[in-house]
């Protein structure tokens, strides 16, 4: 195997297309749906790395991942093959794009490069805030990539790499993008609701609006009364636990659904990390909502009640379900196709709440992480009483979705505020009514 400072291959022929002509739409609202944008960003990172002479040494966490790959016959095979398995016709506009990331040595050097880069905002067509996903988006969807990113050893090292990036995002150096050309530009403010100063605790008179790091900005707190709690004294009303788009409802949920196939029925055994309480929800209802990058990312209790159990389940970080063939390669990750799958395999926080309303009783909240956005912090403790709308935790740098799970027999009248559950809906504010248990 090559050494950690192996010389990078020259970038392939220039990727065709421009940011201006690319489709300004985000699959999963985290990556541009036009591969040209992803490839142009990736090519730019490669060129920046190649200009460094000598190459930067690998960070310790990246070097340990490299050592793990090269000390395992199994991982050496997976990472040796996945880049070769990317179909040559993957990219309709730029057939050379298969070669942008040559092999896992190349992959590790580019990952190493982006560990000290904060997520940027430039405008609706050029923003690419999930850098490691952009590096892995093609090989992770191959057969060898699918198997590799389910491997516990791989996920252990990916977690270490993401934690390293998370440490940088908590440092003052990550504030470089918190300016009027970046996350406080007019377009970014509009994406975050348009009323940033009224909605969030900040100080526009200070540098970076008073935020001391990217993570501090991302986990921003709401101003008092910015999100009023719907019917605070009515225990029949369940409020939205995350600022999110209504995505999906499934009733009569089974414990052993085949979550890896298209359609992806929910599987309670794996969603709830094989917890003994999973049995109580068999035949019940799952509601799933999707968070976008620009949303408020703290979680609130949907009901008055008591925390019965709360824990974080480690999972996968870059596992993408296999499709029926190469036709699925034209859909970049984090589409509606993977959201159900992620509730079973991704890193996630699981909080069981015994609602004060006996007609709700035991329910469960799951905060589902994915890709770079997998850090879940629970801020309540077992045995603690919570009020509806009270904070229960937060994502760090995002989070993909959340689920509310109810027992069988719980009658629910959902309120989506005029939205039709699906992938292209508008977000419903946190603390708004999401469901009612009828009299």
């Amino acid at each position: 195997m090559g050494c950690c400072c192996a010389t990078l291959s020259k970038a392939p022929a220039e990727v065709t297309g421009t940011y201006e002509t690319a489709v300004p739409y985000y699959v999963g609202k985290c990556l541009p749906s036009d591969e040209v944008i992803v490839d142009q960003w990736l090519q730019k990172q490669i060129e920046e790395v190649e200009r460094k002479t000598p190459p930067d040494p690998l960070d310790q966490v990246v070097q340990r991942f490299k050592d793990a790959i090269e000390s395992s016959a199994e991982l050496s095979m997976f990472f040796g093959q996945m880049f070769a398995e990317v179909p040559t016709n993957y990219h309709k506009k730029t057939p050379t794009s298969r070669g942008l990331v040559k092999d896992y040595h190349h992959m590790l050097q580019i990952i190493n490069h982006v560990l000290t880069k904060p997520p940027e905002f430039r405008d609706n067509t050029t923003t690419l805030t999930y850098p490691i996903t952009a590096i892995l988006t093609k090989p992770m969807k191959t057969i060898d990539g699918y198997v590799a990113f389910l491997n516990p050893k791989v996920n252990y090292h990916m977690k270490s790499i993401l934690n390293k990036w998370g440490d940088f995002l908590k440092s003052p150096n990550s504030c470089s993008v918190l300016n009027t050309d970046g996350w406080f530009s007019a377009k970014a403010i509009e994406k975050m609701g348009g009323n940033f100063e009224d909605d969030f605790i900040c100080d526009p008179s200070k540098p970076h609006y008073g935020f001391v790091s990217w993570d501090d900005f991302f986990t921003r707190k709401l101003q008092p009364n910015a999100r009023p709690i719907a019917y605070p004294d009515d225990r029949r009303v369940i409020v939205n636990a995350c600022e999110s788009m209504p995505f999906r409802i499934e009733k009569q949920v089974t414990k052993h659904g085949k979550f890896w196939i298209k359609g992806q029925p929910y599987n309670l055994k794996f969603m709830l990390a094989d917890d003994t309480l999973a049995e109580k929800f068999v035949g019940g209802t799952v509601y799933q909502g999707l968070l976008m990058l620009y949303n408020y990312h703290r979680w609130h209790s949907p009901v008055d009640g008591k925390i019965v159990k709360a824990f974080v389940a480690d999972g996968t970080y870059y596992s993408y379900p296999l499709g029926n063939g190469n036709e699925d390669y034209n859909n970049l990750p984090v589409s509606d196709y993977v959201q159900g799958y992620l509730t079973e395999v991704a890193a996630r926080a699981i909080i069981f709440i015994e609602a004060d309303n006996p007609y709700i009783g035991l329910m469960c909240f799951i905060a589902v992480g994915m890709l770079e956005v997998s850090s879940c912090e629970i801020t309540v403790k077992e045995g603690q009483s919570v009020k509806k709308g009270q904070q229960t935790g937060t994502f760090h740098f995002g989070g993909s979705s959340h689920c509310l799970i109810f027992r069988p027999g719980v009658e629910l009248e959902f309120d989506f505020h005029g939205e039709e559950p699906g992938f292209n809906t508008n977000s419903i504010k946190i603390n708004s009514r999401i469901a009612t248990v009828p009299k």
Side-chain angles (χ1 to χ4, degrees):
M1 298 295 179
C3 69
C4 68
C5 294
T7 302
L8 288 172
S9 302
K10 291 294 183 184
E14 183 178 355
V15 178
T16 60
T18 65
Y19 288 134
E20 289 72 25
T21 60
V23 179
Y25 179 76
Y26 294 72
V27 178
K29 306 298 189 293
C30 74
L31 285 182
S33 60
D34 193 317
E35 314 96 290
V36 169
I37 296 176
V38 179
D39 284 344
Q40 286 181 334
W41 177 90
L42 188 52
Q43 184 169 287
K44 181 175 182 290
Q45 308 314 306
I46 292 171
E47 290 170 354
E48 288 178 1
V49 174
E50 288 183 338
R51 284 197 292 268
K52 296 182 178 182
T53 305
D56 288 339
L58 296 183
D59 186 274
Q60 287 184 351
V61 293
V62 181
Q63 181 64 50
R64 284 196 288 266
F65 186 27
K66 180 177 183 292
D67 293 342
I69 293 172
E70 295 179 352
S71 63
S72 165
E74 182 181 58
L75 295 186
S76 292
M77 178 179 66
F78 294 152
F79 281 90
Q81 285 291 112
M82 65 174 69
F83 294 94
E85 287 178 12
V86 176
T88 55
N89 64 344
Y90 174 84
H91 200 315
K92 296 177 181 178
K93 296 182 181 179
T94 58
T96 59
S97 69
R98 174 181 177 179
L100 281 175
V101 183
K102 298 294 187 182
D103 51 34
Y104 77 84
H105 301 284
H106 202 182
M107 172 195 80
L108 292 173
Q109 288 177 305
I110 305 167
I111 289 175
N112 192 68
H113 177 64
V114 301
L115 286 182
T116 54
K117 287 195 167 191
E120 296 182 53
F121 182 96
R122 291 191 292 274
D123 59 51
N124 288 348
T125 61
T126 63
T127 300
L128 198 153
T129 51
Y130 289 63
I132 298 177
T133 302
I135 298 166
L136 301 177
T137 185
K138 296 168 188 176
M140 69 193 259
K141 291 188 290 181
T142 64
I143 294 175
D144 275 283
Y146 174 70
V147 177
F149 287 107
L150 284 173
N151 185 285
K153 186 180 291 186
V154 170
N155 283 296
Y156 169 83
H157 287 286
M158 290 310 306
K159 181 178 181 179
S160 296
I161 288 170
L162 294 175
N163 284 341
K164 182 73 174 186
W165 193 45
D167 289 342
F168 169 74
L169 296 181
K170 293 177 182 178
S171 73
N173 290 336
S174 66
C175 286
S176 60
V177 293
L178 301 181
N179 52 51
T180 54
D181 293 326
W183 286 98
F184 295 126
S185 65
K187 286 187 177 181
I189 293 291
E190 180 183 359
K191 297 287 283 186
M192 292 185 284
N195 301 301
F196 194 89
E197 296 173 33
D198 294 332
D199 285 345
F200 302 108
I201 296 173
C202 62
D203 188 348
S205 69
K206 293 183 178 179
H208 318 302
Y209 275 52
F211 297 108
V212 297
S213 67
W214 160 265
D215 184 74
D216 188 34
F217 156 73
F218 197 80
T219 59
R220 55 193 176 270
K221 296 180 180 180
L222 288 169
Q223 293 277 14
N225 303 318
R227 299 291 188 271
I229 299 167
Y231 304 93
D233 300 321
D234 190 341
R235 296 191 303 175
R236 298 177 305 131
V237 175
I238 300 164
V239 300
N240 203 18
C242 291
E243 197 121 313
S244 54
M245 306 187 313
F247 175 65
R248 183 177 174 188
I249 298 173
E250 186 171 319
K251 300 180 179 180
Q252 299 295 318
V253 181
T254 67
K255 190 176 181 180
H256 301 287
K258 295 181 179 180
F259 64 90
W260 57 88
I261 63 175
K262 281 192 174 181
Q264 300 174 7
Y266 294 109
N267 178 309
L268 291 170
K269 174 182 173 69
F270 296 121
M271 289 178 77
L272 300 177
D274 208 17
D275 192 88
T276 55
L277 293 176
E279 200 69 42
K280 296 182 179 294
F281 298 94
V282 175
T285 300
V286 171
Y287 163 70
Q288 186 174 7
L290 306 184
L291 288 87
M292 299 298 102
L293 179 64
Y294 309 102
N295 289 143
Y296 168 73
H297 274 83
R298 292 176 181 264
W299 329 319
H300 293 189
S301 178
V303 296
D304 293 340
K306 181 176 287 188
I307 305 299
V308 174
K309 190 180 291 187
F311 60 96
V312 174
D314 282 337
T316 65
Y317 297 94
Y318 292 92
S319 179
Y320 187 92
L322 289 173
N324 294 328
N326 290 345
E327 73 277 3
D328 289 317
Y329 267 78
N330 290 321
N331 298 317
L332 290 177
V334 205
S335 67
D336 50 352
Y337 177 52
V338 303
Q339 293 296 338
Y341 174 83
L342 292 172
T343 66
E344 281 88 7
V345 302
R348 58 205 180 277
I350 301 171
I351 303 176
F352 293 96
I353 306 171
E354 182 70 35
D356 289 347
N357 184 343
Y359 293 100
I360 300 174
L362 184 68
M363 64 165 296
C364 186
F365 165 85
I366 304 178
V368 185
M370 66 176 180
L371 308 173
E372 280 92 319
V373 293
S374 299
S375 182
C376 303
E377 179 189 1
I378 297 172
T379 57
V380 290
K381 297 180 180 179
E382 294 180 6
Q384 177 181 340
S385 294
V386 291
K387 299 295 290 182
K388 182 163 55 177
Q390 179 178 338
Q391 180 181 307
T392 57
T394 185
F395 290 112
H396 289 271
F397 185 39
S400 64
S401 68
H402 78 288
C403 293
L404 301 179
I405 308 179
F406 301 91
R407 296 175 301 114
V410 177
E411 295 183 44
L412 297 161
E413 295 176 352
F414 282 94
D415 180 2
F416 297 126
H417 302 261
E419 299 294 330
E420 186 70 25
F423 196 63
N424 295 306
T425 61
N426 294 310
S427 292
I428 298 172
K429 291 182 177 180
I430 200 166
N431 296 337
S432 300
R433 175 169 58 181
I434 200 70
T436 303
V437 179
K439 290 183 180 179

